[in-house]
Amino acid sequence: MPLLALADGQRTVSSLLSDEQWNDLQKAVRAKSVTLTLPCGQPGHPKTRHGTRFFAHNPGAGHECESAAETAQHLRAKDIIVKAAVAAGWHAEPEVRGDGWVADVLAHNDSG
């Protein structure tokens, strides 16, 4: 259950979208006017559970990626961390991949 997806190739973080942007994205994906791709390369859709916005595999995709095993609490914690870092003036990105690792949230600021 990643917080990150590519919407028509553009990196999109669910936690950072306004309510209007989230609703528009849901409508566009349902209407098939926007293609959503998860970090694992599989197609997905926007979903909300217990107030947390995230991206999920499409039904019947038959694919389980590493984020599928995350609990709802883990997903919520990532969501809170992304929002808090951005509110504090930092740049925050979920599911950042490095050489042999994936950061749940990678945050940095430009102040040095």
Side-chain angles (χ1 to χ4, degrees):
M1 300 183 294
L3 300 177
L4 172 72
L6 296 177
D8 282 344
Q10 183 165 342
R11 204 170 154 83
T12 303
V13 178
S14 61
S15 304
L16 301 180
L17 297 178
S18 68
D19 290 343
E20 182 179 354
Q21 290 170 318
W22 183 251
N23 292 332
D24 289 348
L25 180 61
Q26 287 179 310
K27 290 175 189 171
V29 169
R30 274 194 300 269
K32 298 185 182 187
S33 60
V34 168
T35 300
L36 201 68
T37 307
L38 301 180
C40 64
Q42 295 295 311
H45 60 280
K47 192 169 184 174
T48 304
R49 184 179 299 148
H50 305 295
T52 303
R53 298 172 181 165
F54 61 97
F55 300 106
H57 289 96
N58 285 344
H63 181 78
E64 293 295 325
C65 71
E66 59 206 33
S67 67
E70 290 180 347
T71 65
Q73 293 86 354
H74 186 98
L75 180 67
R76 182 71 179 136
K78 291 192 312 185
D79 180 61
I80 290 168
I81 293 166
V82 167
K83 289 176 181 174
V86 169
W90 288 55
H91 302 280
E93 286 287 330
E95 290 106 31
V96 175
R97 296 179 181 277
D99 187 15
W101 54 269
V102 178
D104 282 335
V105 177
L106 185 62
H108 64 92
N109 67 19
D110 294 329
S111 66

